Amino acid sequence: MAASGSAITTSMTTAIVDANRRNTRDARADGAFRWLVTAAGMFVLVALAGVALSMLWGGREAFSTFGFNFLFSTEWDAVHHQFGALVPIYGTLVTALIAMLIAVPVSFGIALFLTEVAPNWLRGPVAAAIELLAGIPSIIYGMWGLFVFVPIMAAYVNPWLDSHLGHWPLLGPLFTGPPLGIGMLTAGIVLAIMVIPFVSSVMREVFLTVPTRLRESAYALGSTTTEVVWDIVLPYTRSAVIGGIFLGLGRALGETMAVTFVLGNAHRLSASLLEPGNSIAATIANEFTEADSDIYRSSLIALGFLLFVVTFIVLTVAKLMLRRLSRHEGAK
């Protein structure tokens, strides 16, 4: 009996020692994993700060030479080394705004069609087509816009807009100009075509997260499809939908090649959407290899920093809006 008790005690001691070793090993592994993922998260912040500071440092000569006038000047004279960022900033914001005005309702309609209206046999092919559109390189959109869409705009759309809307009191200045085809309106439409697959895919995935029982309950109470969408689907997914819209806006602000092909690349500030303009990304892409002086190169890098700031402000506003919506939902 004594020998049996001693064996049991020994085995229990061994089990306790093994458990302690395993706990120590698990704690070390957990600590190492925590440090690893923390380093990954910090890497994002370090990379973001590094990119911003490097562009700010590269554009320091332009900021120190022109000061705040760099933000409000329309002059861009590479010969006399006089540069201003107002025209590229204006073109970037206007083309992105046009793109979102077109892309948001179209994306919303596509997402609702795929989740609420389309038959099951049609949802798969349409969703696959949207994903294929999202995978097309931007330069292909630019080439298509230049060789196919610009002639259509020059021959049909621009003359119609000029003749029918050009004489209106408030909207008239926006739609007057020569029928060149290239311009901010064309660039905005091409950007919208590029952004629609991203925004519609996000909206579609978000709408699919609405519990089926909520939809079925609403239909059981006699709600129509329109009522289900406005009273059930949208309130349930409002925050995520806004996030998807701002994600598309961020892509529209930073698009380069497609805009470069169809925008016209003219450093001229005009209220007309039919005339050529410029954007920050297009200016950098077109002129960086031609920068023959330090101040020229610094001005282009400063434009890159301004694009970073604009995108950061847009995403910050989106985050604040989402947080405010979450608070209101929690209060309700």
Side-chain angles (χ1 to χ4, degrees), residues 92-108:
T92 300
L93 296 178
V94 170
T95 53
L97 179 61
I98 295 172
M100 299 312 296
L101 289 177
I102 299 173
V104 170
V106 174
S107 300
F108 183 73

Side-chain angles (χ1 to χ4, degrees), residues 90-104 106 141 144-145 149-150 153 181-196 248-249 251-253 255 258-264 273-275 277-279:
Y90 174 76
T92 300
L93 296 178
V94 170
T95 53
L97 179 61
I98 295 172
M100 299 312 296
L101 289 177
I102 299 173
V104 170
V106 174
Y141 282 105
W144 169 83
F149 191 61
V150 166
M153 293 290 292
I182 58 175
M184 287 188 289
L185 180 61
T186 305
I189 296 175
V190 173
L191 272 180
I193 297 174
M194 293 185 60
V195 169
I196 283 173
L249 177 59
R251 175 172 174 81
L253 288 172
E255 180 54 44
V259 176
T260 303
F261 274 87
V262 299
L263 186 55
L273 301 179
L274 307 184
E275 294 189 7
N278 219 332
S279 69

